[in-house]
Amino acid sequence: MISPLYFACETDDKGAYLRTEVRPVIPHQFVIAGWTGRDAAGIQHHIHELELIGVPGPSSVPLYYRASASLLTQATTIEVLGDQSSGEAEPVLFFAADEWWLTVGSDHTDRKVETYSIAVSKQMCPKPVAALAWRWSDVADYQDELQLCSRILEDGQWVDYQKGTFAAIRPLNSLRDSCYPAGVAPAGCFVSCGTLGALPNAKGLGIRPAAQMEIEIRDPRRQRSIIHRYSVQSLPVVA
């Protein structure tokens, strides 16, 4: 049986105050949406940066990959095979207590496996998610203002890895409804809603591995953030 994840679920009482309640959520289904850019140029940029590391382009956009719900984790350290994996910040919607909630996750992916099968690569690594969530109905109307960003530890310094707003991603309701029409879903359903392109470093490298990563969603209207930081432990590849 899959162990529950625990989320501090934050709700807005008509703007008067924020109320937080810790809820256990047992992951039931997990869908990872890919190629979710709102404009053709953004999608092509992400396709191009993946092609640079040998990943073939998609058959259509967007695509929805099913992954094991047991991959979801709130651990601060994940173990991966080898040193060819990397993360990417994504908004994550999940259904619990008769509501949809928003948190931030990382679609940590084995990039070597991704060169021959994206679907298989989605199964190769744990998928970190934060322990804080906002009620989706509280922020859905101004979702394009929400900021998605990530940072990685590179050469001993924290550097920006991704930065942008939800406006670069298709509306999250549309991505969710493609998996669960009209938003009707059993408890414990998770939808990871796509990402932003990686910012290149001084060597011109975009997508790249890192020993530590921090993912974040910022709500500038309410001056709050959801943040999760995790470390990556590489396991030896034995032939």
Side-chain angles (χ1 to χ4, degrees):
M1 183 176 177
I2 300 176
S3 298
L5 304 174
Y6 290 88
F7 293 94
C9 293
E10 193 171 85
T11 57
D12 183 4
D13 183 20
K14 299 179 181 179
Y17 65 93
L18 296 176
R19 180 170 59 87
T20 303
E21 182 176 350
V22 176
R23 299 184 183 277
V25 181
I26 298 175
H28 174 64
Q29 292 179 351
F30 182 30
V31 178
I32 302 172
W35 318 103
T36 63
R38 197 176 296 190
D39 65 273
I43 294 175
Q44 189 56 47
H45 172 73
H46 192 45
I47 290 173
H48 177 66
E49 66 180 359
L50 287 172
E51 286 176 341
L52 291 176
I53 59 174
V55 180
S59 57
S60 62
V61 296
L63 287 178
Y64 299 91
Y65 303 94
R66 281 295 300 272
S68 172
S70 63
L71 295 173
L72 292 162
T73 179
Q74 291 170 324
T76 55
T77 299
I78 64 170
E79 293 182 323
V80 299
L81 188 64
D83 59 0
Q84 297 300 309
S85 69
S86 63
E88 49 192 28
E90 304 204 356
V92 176
L93 293 176
F94 66 91
F95 194 72
D98 299 321
E99 297 266 15
W100 283 96
W101 303 86
L102 172 70
T103 190
V104 68
S106 176
D107 180 15
H108 204 95
T109 299
D110 187 308
R111 301 302 176 184
K112 185 175 182 180
V113 174
E114 194 175 37
T115 61
Y116 66 82
S117 175
I118 295 177
V120 174
S121 72
K122 299 299 183 186
Q123 289 290 124
M124 298 299 295
C125 301
K127 307 296 187 185
V129 292
L132 175 64
W134 299 330
R135 184 167 59 182
W136 175 236
S137 60
D138 291 340
V139 298
D141 288 345
Y142 64 96
Q143 62 183 283
D144 284 2
E145 298 177 26
L146 300 178
Q147 300 168 357
L148 179 68
C149 56
S150 68
R151 291 163 290 279
I152 60 173
L153 189 64
E154 188 169 48
D155 297 327
Q157 294 184 330
W158 285 98
V159 298
D160 289 335
Y161 187 67
Q162 296 168 286
K163 183 177 290 187
T165 68
F166 283 26
I169 300 172
R170 292 173 187 250
L172 269 56
N173 282 351
S174 69
L175 297 171
R176 178 201 64 191
D177 291 355
S178 292
C179 307
Y180 303 103
V184 177
C189 290
F190 287 73
V191 183
S192 195
C193 296
T195 192
L196 306 173
L199 301 172
N201 61 11
K203 299 177 182 178
L205 298 176
I207 296 174
R208 55 200 188 271
Q212 293 187 54
M213 186 172 202
E214 185 177 85
I215 53 179
E216 180 179 6
I217 291 174
R218 297 173 184 162
D219 179 353
R221 184 175 293 198
R222 288 182 167 89
Q223 294 295 304
R224 57 180 179 168
S225 292
I226 301 174
I227 301 175
H228 182 69
R229 180 181 290 187
Y230 68 97
S231 300
V232 180
Q233 179 68 46
S234 296
L235 305 176
V237 179
V238 179

Short mmCIF file of all heavy atoms in Angstrom, two decimals, residues 174-211:
data_model
loop_
_atom_site.label_atom_id
_atom_site.label_comp_id
_atom_site.label_asym_id
_atom_site.label_seq_id
_atom_site.Cartn_x
_atom_site.Cartn_y
_atom_site.Cartn_z
N SER A 174 -7.60 23.33 -18.05
CA SER A 174 -7.72 22.60 -19.31
C SER A 174 -6.87 21.34 -19.29
O SER A 174 -7.27 20.30 -19.83
CB SER A 174 -7.33 23.49 -20.48
OG SER A 174 -5.94 23.78 -20.49
N LEU A 175 -5.69 21.43 -18.68
CA LEU A 175 -4.83 20.25 -18.57
C LEU A 175 -5.45 19.21 -17.66
O LEU A 175 -5.47 18.01 -17.96
CB LEU A 175 -3.45 20.66 -18.06
CG LEU A 175 -2.66 21.62 -18.96
CD1 LEU A 175 -1.42 22.14 -18.24
CD2 LEU A 175 -2.27 20.93 -20.27
N ARG A 176 -5.97 19.67 -16.54
CA ARG A 176 -6.64 18.75 -15.61
C ARG A 176 -7.85 18.10 -16.25
O ARG A 176 -8.05 16.88 -16.15
CB ARG A 176 -7.06 19.53 -14.37
CG ARG A 176 -7.82 18.71 -13.33
CD ARG A 176 -8.64 19.61 -12.43
NE ARG A 176 -9.69 20.32 -13.18
CZ ARG A 176 -10.41 21.32 -12.67
NH1 ARG A 176 -10.19 21.76 -11.46
NH2 ARG A 176 -11.36 21.89 -13.42
N ASP A 177 -8.67 18.91 -16.95
CA ASP A 177 -9.92 18.38 -17.51
C ASP A 177 -9.67 17.41 -18.66
O ASP A 177 -10.54 16.59 -18.97
CB ASP A 177 -10.81 19.52 -17.98
CG ASP A 177 -11.36 20.35 -16.81
OD1 ASP A 177 -11.13 19.96 -15.65
OD2 ASP A 177 -12.02 21.37 -17.08
N SER A 178 -8.51 17.49 -19.28
CA SER A 178 -8.18 16.51 -20.32
C SER A 178 -7.96 15.13 -19.71
O SER A 178 -8.12 14.12 -20.40
CB SER A 178 -6.92 16.95 -21.08
OG SER A 178 -7.16 18.11 -21.84
N CYS A 179 -7.60 15.10 -18.45
CA CYS A 179 -7.43 13.83 -17.73
C CYS A 179 -8.69 13.44 -16.97
O CYS A 179 -9.06 12.25 -16.93
CB CYS A 179 -6.27 13.93 -16.74
SG CYS A 179 -4.72 14.49 -17.43
N TYR A 180 -9.33 14.44 -16.38
CA TYR A 180 -10.52 14.21 -15.55
C TYR A 180 -11.59 15.22 -15.99
O TYR A 180 -11.62 16.34 -15.49
CB TYR A 180 -10.19 14.39 -14.07
CG TYR A 180 -9.07 13.47 -13.62
CD1 TYR A 180 -7.78 13.97 -13.42
CD2 TYR A 180 -9.30 12.12 -13.42
CE1 TYR A 180 -6.74 13.13 -13.03
CE2 TYR A 180 -8.27 11.27 -13.03
CZ TYR A 180 -7.00 11.79 -12.84
OH TYR A 180 -5.98 10.95 -12.45
N PRO A 181 -12.44 14.84 -16.94
CA PRO A 181 -13.43 15.77 -17.49
C PRO A 181 -14.25 16.46 -16.42
O PRO A 181 -14.71 15.83 -15.46
CB PRO A 181 -14.29 14.87 -18.38
CG PRO A 181 -13.36 13.77 -18.80
CD PRO A 181 -12.49 13.53 -17.60
N ALA A 182 -14.40 17.77 -16.58
CA ALA A 182 -15.14 18.62 -15.63
C ALA A 182 -14.53 18.60 -14.24
O ALA A 182 -15.17 19.00 -13.27
CB ALA A 182 -16.61 18.21 -15.57
N GLY A 183 -13.28 18.14 -14.15
CA GLY A 183 -12.61 18.14 -12.85
C GLY A 183 -13.09 17.07 -11.90
O GLY A 183 -12.78 17.13 -10.70
N VAL A 184 -13.83 16.08 -12.40
CA VAL A 184 -14.35 15.01 -11.54
C VAL A 184 -13.29 13.92 -11.42
O VAL A 184 -12.87 13.34 -12.43
CB VAL A 184 -15.66 14.42 -12.12
CG1 VAL A 184 -16.14 13.27 -11.25
CG2 VAL A 184 -16.71 15.51 -12.22
N ALA A 185 -12.85 13.65 -10.19
CA ALA A 185 -11.77 12.69 -9.99
C ALA A 185 -11.90 12.04 -8.62
O ALA A 185 -12.45 12.63 -7.69
CB ALA A 185 -10.42 13.38 -10.11
N PRO A 186 -11.37 10.83 -8.48
CA PRO A 186 -11.30 10.22 -7.15
C PRO A 186 -10.25 10.94 -6.30
O PRO A 186 -9.35 11.60 -6.82
CB PRO A 186 -10.87 8.78 -7.43
CG PRO A 186 -11.02 8.58 -8.91
CD PRO A 186 -10.87 9.93 -9.53
N ALA A 187 -10.37 10.81 -5.01
CA ALA A 187 -9.36 11.37 -4.11
C ALA A 187 -8.00 10.75 -4.41
O ALA A 187 -7.90 9.57 -4.73
CB ALA A 187 -9.76 11.13 -2.66
N GLY A 188 -6.98 11.58 -4.32
CA GLY A 188 -5.62 11.08 -4.51
C GLY A 188 -5.14 11.10 -5.95
O GLY A 188 -4.11 10.50 -6.25
N CYS A 189 -5.86 11.81 -6.83
CA CYS A 189 -5.40 11.95 -8.21
C CYS A 189 -4.50 13.18 -8.32
O CYS A 189 -4.85 14.26 -7.84
CB CYS A 189 -6.59 12.08 -9.16
SG CYS A 189 -7.52 10.55 -9.34
N PHE A 190 -3.35 13.01 -8.96
CA PHE A 190 -2.37 14.08 -9.11
C PHE A 190 -2.13 14.33 -10.60
O PHE A 190 -2.00 13.38 -11.38
CB PHE A 190 -1.04 13.70 -8.46
CG PHE A 190 -1.05 13.73 -6.96
CD1 PHE A 190 -1.70 12.74 -6.23
CD2 PHE A 190 -0.39 14.73 -6.25
CE1 PHE A 190 -1.71 12.75 -4.84
CE2 PHE A 190 -0.38 14.76 -4.87
CZ PHE A 190 -1.05 13.77 -4.15
N VAL A 191 -2.04 15.61 -10.98
CA VAL A 191 -1.71 16.00 -12.35
C VAL A 191 -0.56 16.99 -12.31
O VAL A 191 -0.71 18.10 -11.78
CB VAL A 191 -2.91 16.62 -13.08
CG1 VAL A 191 -2.52 16.95 -14.53
CG2 VAL A 191 -4.12 15.69 -13.05
N SER A 192 0.57 16.60 -12.84
CA SER A 192 1.72 17.49 -12.96
C SER A 192 1.59 18.22 -14.29
O SER A 192 1.46 17.58 -15.34
CB SER A 192 3.02 16.68 -12.89
OG SER A 192 4.14 17.51 -12.67
N CYS A 193 1.60 19.55 -14.26
CA CYS A 193 1.06 20.34 -15.37
C CYS A 193 2.08 20.99 -16.29
O CYS A 193 1.78 22.00 -16.93
CB CYS A 193 0.12 21.40 -14.80
SG CYS A 193 -1.35 20.73 -13.98
N GLY A 194 3.27 20.45 -16.39
CA GLY A 194 4.22 21.00 -17.34
C GLY A 194 5.18 21.99 -16.72
O GLY A 194 5.07 22.35 -15.55
N THR A 195 6.12 22.44 -17.51
CA THR A 195 7.24 23.20 -16.96
C THR A 195 7.67 24.34 -17.88
O THR A 195 7.03 24.63 -18.88
CB THR A 195 8.42 22.24 -16.69
OG1 THR A 195 9.41 22.89 -15.89
CG2 THR A 195 9.04 21.75 -17.99
N LEU A 196 8.77 24.98 -17.50
CA LEU A 196 9.37 26.06 -18.27
C LEU A 196 10.76 25.62 -18.73
O LEU A 196 11.36 24.71 -18.15
CB LEU A 196 9.51 27.31 -17.40
CG LEU A 196 8.25 27.82 -16.71
CD1 LEU A 196 8.60 28.96 -15.75
CD2 LEU A 196 7.21 28.27 -17.72
N GLY A 197 11.26 26.28 -19.74
CA GLY A 197 12.60 25.96 -20.22
C GLY A 197 13.66 26.29 -19.20
O GLY A 197 13.49 27.17 -18.35
N ALA A 198 14.77 25.57 -19.27
CA ALA A 198 15.89 25.81 -18.36
C ALA A 198 16.71 27.00 -18.83
O ALA A 198 16.91 27.21 -20.04
CB ALA A 198 16.77 24.57 -18.28
N LEU A 199 17.20 27.80 -17.87
CA LEU A 199 18.07 28.92 -18.18
C LEU A 199 19.49 28.40 -18.39
O LEU A 199 20.03 27.70 -17.53
CB LEU A 199 18.04 29.95 -17.04
CG LEU A 199 16.67 30.54 -16.70
CD1 LEU A 199 16.75 31.37 -15.43
CD2 LEU A 199 16.14 31.36 -17.86
N PRO A 200 20.14 28.72 -19.49
CA PRO A 200 21.50 28.21 -19.72
C PRO A 200 22.51 28.82 -18.77
O PRO A 200 22.37 29.97 -18.35
CB PRO A 200 21.78 28.60 -21.17
CG PRO A 200 20.88 29.76 -21.45
CD PRO A 200 19.65 29.53 -20.63
N ASN A 201 23.54 28.04 -18.46
CA ASN A 201 24.62 28.56 -17.62
C ASN A 201 25.68 29.22 -18.50
O ASN A 201 25.48 29.41 -19.71
CB ASN A 201 25.21 27.44 -16.75
CG ASN A 201 25.82 26.31 -17.58
OD1 ASN A 201 25.99 26.41 -18.80
ND2 ASN A 201 26.16 25.21 -16.91
N ALA A 202 26.80 29.57 -17.90
CA ALA A 202 27.86 30.28 -18.63
C ALA A 202 28.42 29.45 -19.78
O ALA A 202 28.96 30.01 -20.75
CB ALA A 202 28.97 30.69 -17.67
N LYS A 203 28.30 28.13 -19.68
CA LYS A 203 28.79 27.25 -20.74
C LYS A 203 27.74 27.00 -21.81
O LYS A 203 27.98 26.25 -22.77
CB LYS A 203 29.23 25.92 -20.14
CG LYS A 203 30.36 26.04 -19.12
CD LYS A 203 30.69 24.68 -18.51
CE LYS A 203 31.78 24.81 -17.46
NZ LYS A 203 32.07 23.49 -16.81
N GLY A 204 26.57 27.62 -21.65
CA GLY A 204 25.50 27.44 -22.62
C GLY A 204 24.67 26.20 -22.41
O GLY A 204 23.84 25.86 -23.26
N LEU A 205 24.87 25.52 -21.29
CA LEU A 205 24.11 24.30 -21.01
C LEU A 205 22.76 24.65 -20.40
O LEU A 205 22.69 25.42 -19.45
CB LEU A 205 24.90 23.39 -20.06
CG LEU A 205 26.25 22.88 -20.56
CD1 LEU A 205 26.95 22.07 -19.46
CD2 LEU A 205 26.07 22.02 -21.81
N GLY A 206 21.70 24.07 -20.95
CA GLY A 206 20.36 24.28 -20.42
C GLY A 206 20.01 23.19 -19.42
O GLY A 206 20.35 23.26 -18.24
N ILE A 207 19.33 22.17 -19.87
CA ILE A 207 18.98 21.04 -19.00
C ILE A 207 20.26 20.35 -18.54
O ILE A 207 21.09 19.95 -19.36
CB ILE A 207 18.07 20.05 -19.74
CG1 ILE A 207 16.74 20.73 -20.08
CG2 ILE A 207 17.82 18.81 -18.90
CD1 ILE A 207 15.83 19.88 -20.94
N ARG A 208 20.42 20.21 -17.22
CA ARG A 208 21.65 19.64 -16.69
C ARG A 208 21.40 19.13 -15.27
O ARG A 208 20.52 19.62 -14.57
CB ARG A 208 22.78 20.68 -16.68
CG ARG A 208 22.42 21.97 -15.95
CD ARG A 208 23.34 23.10 -16.39
NE ARG A 208 23.19 24.32 -15.58
CZ ARG A 208 22.30 25.29 -15.88
NH1 ARG A 208 21.50 25.16 -16.92
NH2 ARG A 208 22.25 26.39 -15.13
N PRO A 209 22.18 18.14 -14.84
CA PRO A 209 22.00 17.59 -13.50
C PRO A 209 22.55 18.53 -12.43
O PRO A 209 23.37 19.40 -12.70
CB PRO A 209 22.80 16.28 -13.54
CG PRO A 209 23.84 16.51 -14.59
CD PRO A 209 23.21 17.42 -15.61
N ALA A 210 22.07 18.32 -11.21
CA ALA A 210 22.55 19.09 -10.07
C ALA A 210 22.37 18.25 -8.81
O ALA A 210 21.44 17.44 -8.72
CB ALA A 210 21.79 20.41 -9.93
N ALA A 211 23.25 18.47 -7.85
CA ALA A 211 23.19 17.70 -6.60
C ALA A 211 22.06 18.16 -5.70
O ALA A 211 21.58 17.40 -4.85
CB ALA A 211 24.52 17.79 -5.86
#
